[in-house]
Amino acid sequence: MRRHHLGAVLRQVHLTGPISRAALANRLGLNRSTILALTTQLTAAGLVYEGASGSTGRAGRPSLVVRPESDRWYVLAFDVAVDRLVAARVVLGGAVLERREAARRRSRYADLDEVVGVLAGFGRALVDAAPRSARCVGVGVSYCGLIRAADGMVRLAPNMGWTDLDFAPALSGQLGLGLPVTVGNEAHLSALAEHERGAGVGHRNLVYLHGDVGVGGGIIVGGKLLDGDDGYGAELGHMIVNPHDGRPCNCGSQGCLEAEVGEAALLEAAGRVGGPVGRDGVRAIVEAAENGDAAARKALDRVGDWLGIGVANLINLFNPGAVVFGGTLGEIYQGAAPRIHARVAASVLPVSQERAQLRTSALHDDATLVGAAELAFRCLLADPLDALARITA
Amino acid sequence: MRRHHLGAVLRQVHLTGPISRAALANRLGLNRSTILALTTQLTAAGLVYEGASGSTGRAGRPSLVVRPESDRWYVLAFDVAVDRLVAARVVLGGAVLERREAARRRSRYADLDEVVGVLAGFGRALVDAAPRSARCVGVGVSYCGLIRAADGMVRLAPNMGWTDLDFAPALSGQLGLGLPVTVGNEAHLSALAEHERGAGVGHRNLVYLHGDVGVGGGIIVGGKLLDGDDGYGAELGHMIVNPHDGRPCNCGSQGCLEAEVGEAALLEAAGRVGGPVGRDGVRAIVEAAENGDAAARKALDRVGDWLGIGVANLINLFNPGAVVFGGTLGEIYQGAAPRIHARVAASVLPVSQERAQLRTSALHDDATLVGAAELAFRCLLADPLDALARITA
C-alpha cells in the first residue's frame, strides 16, 4: 500500500505540477499526516521538493507547494512516424526539453537498422547534453504500427512495410543505457497524452482519432487505455463506413474510415494529387475551401461526411465525454465541423449526444512524444523507490 | 483490505461453486492461512460452509471444499423485455430457481404501473414461496432500454415508447422488501453474464451482440463492462453500416446495424412479413434456408453480410478474445456463419483475427436474468459483512 501511495503522490505532482499538500490529500483521498509522510519520503529520495508557491496565501504568508525534481530525473521519448523520427528529453513534471528531429522520405521499405541507428544517435546526444546531475529513468517509443502489448513486438507497420520486428531490444542495445525500451502505438499514446495532459483531462471516456498517412485511434474507457487482448484495439481507421463503393484501403479491405478520410482520399477528391502532401497538403485544402475554392469545399464536405459517420458510430459505442481530433484530422475537423456535427446530430442517440464534446488536439504534434514519455515514466510512477533502486544499482 | 478479500473469496465461491481452499489461495494470489481466516469468517456469517468434495483425493481421504450457502441467501432477478416479463429467485452460487413469466403484447406504449404491478406480484410470490430460512439480499432488473448509470433512470425504451421513467423506486416500493432495486440494460447484463458464467468465461475482452426486436450490445473491456460516461455505451445496434441506401431505424437514423440485421429486416427480406415474429419467426427462416428455400437463404445471406461488417468493425475496435451472439442473432449466426466469417476474413486486421473466436450465447434466454442476478448480488459480494449487517438490521 505504501508503495502504491508513494506512486500516486509522485504521479499527481508529475501531472499537475506544483501542488499543496492539502490539495494532494484532497485529490488522493488520503489524510494530511499520510501525505506528509509520503512527501517526506519522496523528498528524501530526491524526487520532489517543497518550496514557496510564488503567490501568497490569504494570511499573507507564502504557502508551500510540492514540486517535481525536474532537474534530476528525465526520460527519453522517441517518435517513429511515417515521415519523421523525433527524440526528446522529457523531465519529471512533463516538460519536453531538448529535441532532435530528422525528416524521413516516405518509403514503404525503410530499413530497421537505419531507423534504430538514427534514434540511438539522437538519444545518446540528448543524454550527453543533459546536465550532469540529471539521470535518465526510462525510454519510451511511439510507433506508427501495431504493437504487441505482451513484449512490444512491432507486428505491422502498414505504411512502412515492416512486420514482426523486435525493435525495442535493438534500440535498447544501441542506446547502451542499461534501460529497457517500452513501445506503444502512436495513436494509443496520443490518446493517453491528451487524456492526461491535453484536450481530454478529466474525462473518464475519451475517443481520440489521429490522421496521418493512415488513420489511427486511441480510446480511453473508464480512465484506462483500451488495448484489447493483444494491444491491437482501437483500430478505428479500419472501421468500414462505406461498404458499397468504398475506396480500397492499405489493409486490403475497402471502405474503411482510413480509406475515406485519410490524406490520399482528401487530396484526390480535391484534385490535388501530385501537390503538397501531409499536414501542409491538408492545410492548403482547408484554407482554399475557406477562401471559396469550390473543389476544395466539396472535397472537405465529402470527407467530413464520412468522418461524421465514423464519429457517430464511436459515440454510440463509447458514450464518451470528449472526442478529440489530431494530426490531419484536426485540420479536417476545423474545415468541416458543420458536416461532422450534422452527422452526429442525425445518428447519435440523443442521450449520448448530450455528453460528447468534439474538439481538436491540445498537444498537437507533441502528443506522441508526450505519450511516449508517460510510457517511459510508468515504472517510476508505479513504485518510485523500487524503480530508483533498480536504476541506480 | 480485509473487506475486499472477504468479498473476493465469496465472489469466487459464488462464481465457481465448490472449490478447495488451496484452489482459492491459488486463484486469488493469497496465502493459505489468509484464506483459512477469510473462509472461517464467511462460515461464521453463514455465507459459505465446508464439506467433503464428493470425490476422494489421492490419499483416499475426501478433500474439503468451500461451498456457497445457497439455501440461505438469494436475490430476485427481473427481466423486462419487449415481449415478456420474467422474475426469478436466484440463489447464492448462481442457480436460477423458481421463476414466473408473463407474455406481453408488443406495444410501443406499455403502461409503467401495469408492468411494475406484474413484476411486484411475481416478486412477492417468489419471496412467499421461498424456504423460511432463506433471505433476499438484493433485487436486480434487466431492462430493454437505456439506463442512466448514476441513478438507474430509464432514459429511453425505444421499442416501448417510454422515456425518463423512475422505474426502480416504483418497483422497490411495491415489492416492500426494504431493498433498493438496481437496473441495467439487457444487453450489458447479458454480456456480464456470458463473461462470468457463459460463453465468455476467461476472456478479458468480449463483444456480445444481442438481437431481439432491436439490436443491443454489451462489451467487456479489460474485464469490466464498458458503460461510458452515463451508462449508454456499447450501443452497437446504432453503428451505421449501410449509409447509402440503409433502411430507416427506430432511432431516427438509417442504415444502423439494427435496421439491417434486426428481426424486421430479416422477415422482410425473406418475404415473411405477417407471419410468425420473434425467435420463432427467425428460427423458421434459418430452418427453411437449411432445407433449400432460396428466398430464406438469400435473406439470411444479406443479413449475414451486414452482420459481418458490424462484427468486423467491432473486432478491429476491441481486439477481443470472443464475440458472442445472443437472442435472434444467435440463430442468424448459426444460419449465416460462412458469410460472417468471410467478412471478418476480408476486413479484420490479421493480428486481431488471430485472436477472436465467434460463438453463440451459452446462457441463451437466461442471460438477462443471470446478469440481473449478478447485479443484485453486487453489494453482498463487494463487502459481505457490511451488506449483511445492513440487510438484517
Short mmCIF file of all heavy atoms in Angstrom, two decimals, chain A residues 7 47 76 95 108 115 156 180 184-186 199-200 249 256-257 267 278 308 323 330 339 352 361 374 378 392:
data_model
loop_
_atom_site.label_atom_id
_atom_site.label_comp_id
_atom_site.label_asym_id
_atom_site.label_seq_id
_atom_site.Cartn_x
_atom_site.Cartn_y
_atom_site.Cartn_z
N GLY A 7 3.63 6.16 -5.21
CA GLY A 7 3.48 6.33 -6.65
C GLY A 7 2.36 7.29 -7.00
O GLY A 7 2.50 8.12 -7.89
N LEU A 47 13.03 13.01 -5.31
CA LEU A 47 12.05 13.02 -6.41
C LEU A 47 11.18 14.27 -6.41
O LEU A 47 10.70 14.69 -7.46
CB LEU A 47 11.17 11.77 -6.34
CG LEU A 47 11.90 10.47 -6.71
CD1 LEU A 47 11.14 9.26 -6.22
CD2 LEU A 47 12.12 10.39 -8.23
N LEU A 76 13.85 9.49 -22.01
CA LEU A 76 13.98 9.72 -23.44
C LEU A 76 12.68 9.27 -24.10
O LEU A 76 12.19 8.18 -23.84
CB LEU A 76 15.15 8.93 -24.03
CG LEU A 76 16.55 9.36 -23.60
CD1 LEU A 76 17.58 8.44 -24.26
CD2 LEU A 76 16.82 10.82 -23.96
N ALA A 95 7.75 18.43 -18.81
CA ALA A 95 8.21 19.39 -19.82
C ALA A 95 9.07 18.69 -20.88
O ALA A 95 9.95 17.90 -20.53
CB ALA A 95 9.00 20.51 -19.15
N ARG A 108 7.87 2.70 -48.20
CA ARG A 108 7.24 1.53 -47.59
C ARG A 108 8.28 0.55 -47.08
O ARG A 108 7.99 -0.34 -46.34
CB ARG A 108 6.32 0.84 -48.61
CG ARG A 108 5.06 1.64 -48.91
CD ARG A 108 4.18 0.88 -49.86
NE ARG A 108 3.67 -0.34 -49.23
CZ ARG A 108 2.58 -0.38 -48.47
NH1 ARG A 108 1.88 0.71 -48.25
NH2 ARG A 108 2.17 -1.51 -47.94
N VAL A 115 16.84 3.15 -39.03
CA VAL A 115 15.96 3.88 -38.11
C VAL A 115 16.50 3.79 -36.68
O VAL A 115 16.62 4.80 -35.98
CB VAL A 115 14.52 3.31 -38.19
CG1 VAL A 115 13.66 3.85 -37.05
CG2 VAL A 115 13.89 3.65 -39.53
N LEU A 156 3.12 -4.97 -37.26
CA LEU A 156 2.78 -4.48 -38.60
C LEU A 156 2.91 -2.96 -38.58
O LEU A 156 2.40 -2.29 -37.70
CB LEU A 156 1.33 -4.86 -38.92
CG LEU A 156 0.78 -4.47 -40.28
CD1 LEU A 156 1.41 -5.30 -41.39
CD2 LEU A 156 -0.73 -4.65 -40.31
N PRO A 180 15.41 -0.76 -20.22
CA PRO A 180 14.53 -1.36 -21.23
C PRO A 180 13.82 -0.26 -22.02
O PRO A 180 13.67 0.87 -21.55
CB PRO A 180 13.52 -2.15 -20.40
CG PRO A 180 13.52 -1.49 -19.06
CD PRO A 180 14.90 -0.93 -18.86
N GLY A 184 4.84 1.77 -27.77
CA GLY A 184 3.39 1.81 -27.88
C GLY A 184 2.96 2.34 -29.24
O GLY A 184 3.74 3.01 -29.93
N ASN A 185 1.73 2.05 -29.60
CA ASN A 185 1.17 2.56 -30.85
C ASN A 185 0.98 4.08 -30.76
O ASN A 185 0.56 4.60 -29.73
CB ASN A 185 -0.17 1.86 -31.11
CG ASN A 185 -0.98 2.50 -32.21
OD1 ASN A 185 -1.72 3.44 -31.95
ND2 ASN A 185 -0.82 2.03 -33.43
N GLU A 186 1.28 4.78 -31.84
CA GLU A 186 1.28 6.25 -31.82
C GLU A 186 -0.08 6.85 -31.42
O GLU A 186 -0.14 7.82 -30.66
CB GLU A 186 1.71 6.83 -33.16
CG GLU A 186 0.83 6.40 -34.31
CD GLU A 186 1.17 7.09 -35.64
OE1 GLU A 186 1.97 8.03 -35.66
OE2 GLU A 186 0.60 6.67 -36.66
N ALA A 199 -6.44 17.69 -24.32
CA ALA A 199 -7.84 18.08 -24.51
C ALA A 199 -8.82 17.16 -23.79
O ALA A 199 -10.02 17.42 -23.80
CB ALA A 199 -8.15 18.10 -26.02
N GLY A 200 -8.31 16.09 -23.18
CA GLY A 200 -9.21 15.14 -22.55
C GLY A 200 -9.05 15.02 -21.05
O GLY A 200 -9.58 14.09 -20.43
N CYS A 249 -8.41 0.12 -49.27
CA CYS A 249 -7.62 0.55 -48.11
C CYS A 249 -6.28 -0.19 -48.11
O CYS A 249 -6.19 -1.31 -48.61
CB CYS A 249 -8.40 0.25 -46.83
SG CYS A 249 -7.57 0.84 -45.33
N CYS A 256 -12.91 1.41 -45.58
CA CYS A 256 -12.51 1.72 -44.20
C CYS A 256 -12.49 3.24 -44.00
O CYS A 256 -12.30 4.00 -44.95
CB CYS A 256 -11.10 1.21 -43.93
SG CYS A 256 -10.90 -0.58 -44.04
N LEU A 257 -12.65 3.66 -42.74
CA LEU A 257 -12.58 5.09 -42.44
C LEU A 257 -11.28 5.68 -42.97
O LEU A 257 -11.28 6.78 -43.55
CB LEU A 257 -12.70 5.29 -40.91
CG LEU A 257 -12.79 6.73 -40.43
CD1 LEU A 257 -14.07 7.39 -40.93
CD2 LEU A 257 -12.73 6.80 -38.90
N LEU A 267 -6.85 14.47 -50.85
CA LEU A 267 -6.08 15.06 -51.95
C LEU A 267 -6.71 14.70 -53.30
O LEU A 267 -6.84 15.55 -54.18
CB LEU A 267 -4.62 14.58 -51.91
CG LEU A 267 -3.78 15.06 -50.72
CD1 LEU A 267 -2.40 14.43 -50.75
CD2 LEU A 267 -3.66 16.59 -50.71
N GLY A 278 0.87 15.46 -46.78
CA GLY A 278 0.97 15.58 -45.32
C GLY A 278 0.14 16.74 -44.80
O GLY A 278 -0.82 17.19 -45.42
N GLY A 308 -17.87 12.06 -40.11
CA GLY A 308 -19.03 12.19 -39.23
C GLY A 308 -19.68 10.85 -38.94
O GLY A 308 -20.11 10.59 -37.80
N VAL A 323 -14.47 13.80 -27.77
CA VAL A 323 -13.91 13.22 -28.98
C VAL A 323 -12.85 14.20 -29.46
O VAL A 323 -13.14 15.38 -29.65
CB VAL A 323 -14.98 13.03 -30.07
CG1 VAL A 323 -14.36 12.50 -31.36
CG2 VAL A 323 -16.09 12.10 -29.59
N GLY A 330 -7.36 16.82 -37.27
CA GLY A 330 -7.59 18.10 -36.59
C GLY A 330 -7.88 19.21 -37.59
O GLY A 330 -8.80 20.01 -37.42
N ARG A 339 -20.46 19.69 -41.06
CA ARG A 339 -20.87 18.41 -41.61
C ARG A 339 -20.76 17.31 -40.56
O ARG A 339 -21.61 16.42 -40.48
CB ARG A 339 -19.99 18.02 -42.82
CG ARG A 339 -19.95 19.04 -43.92
CD ARG A 339 -21.30 19.12 -44.63
NE ARG A 339 -21.49 18.08 -45.61
CZ ARG A 339 -21.98 18.29 -46.83
NH1 ARG A 339 -22.30 19.52 -47.22
NH2 ARG A 339 -22.15 17.29 -47.65
N SER A 352 -26.63 10.08 -25.67
CA SER A 352 -25.17 10.12 -25.76
C SER A 352 -24.68 11.42 -26.39
O SER A 352 -23.54 11.84 -26.16
CB SER A 352 -24.64 8.93 -26.57
OG SER A 352 -24.65 7.77 -25.79
N SER A 361 -7.07 18.36 -30.93
CA SER A 361 -5.97 18.04 -30.03
C SER A 361 -5.42 19.31 -29.37
O SER A 361 -5.32 20.36 -30.00
CB SER A 361 -4.86 17.39 -30.86
OG SER A 361 -3.62 17.50 -30.24
N GLU A 374 5.19 9.45 -21.07
CA GLU A 374 4.40 8.90 -19.97
C GLU A 374 4.62 7.39 -19.86
O GLU A 374 4.68 6.83 -18.77
CB GLU A 374 2.91 9.21 -20.16
CG GLU A 374 2.56 10.70 -20.04
CD GLU A 374 3.08 11.35 -18.76
OE1 GLU A 374 2.97 10.73 -17.69
OE2 GLU A 374 3.61 12.48 -18.84
N ARG A 378 6.33 5.28 -16.57
CA ARG A 378 5.36 4.42 -15.89
C ARG A 378 5.98 3.62 -14.73
O ARG A 378 5.40 3.54 -13.65
CB ARG A 378 4.72 3.48 -16.92
CG ARG A 378 3.44 2.90 -16.43
CD ARG A 378 2.71 2.17 -17.53
NE ARG A 378 1.80 3.02 -18.26
CZ ARG A 378 1.09 2.61 -19.32
NH1 ARG A 378 1.23 1.37 -19.76
NH2 ARG A 378 0.26 3.42 -19.92
N THR A 392 19.62 2.90 -10.09
CA THR A 392 20.90 3.37 -9.55
C THR A 392 21.77 2.21 -9.07
O THR A 392 22.85 2.43 -8.55
CB THR A 392 20.66 4.37 -8.40
OG1 THR A 392 19.84 3.72 -7.41
CG2 THR A 392 19.96 5.61 -8.88
#
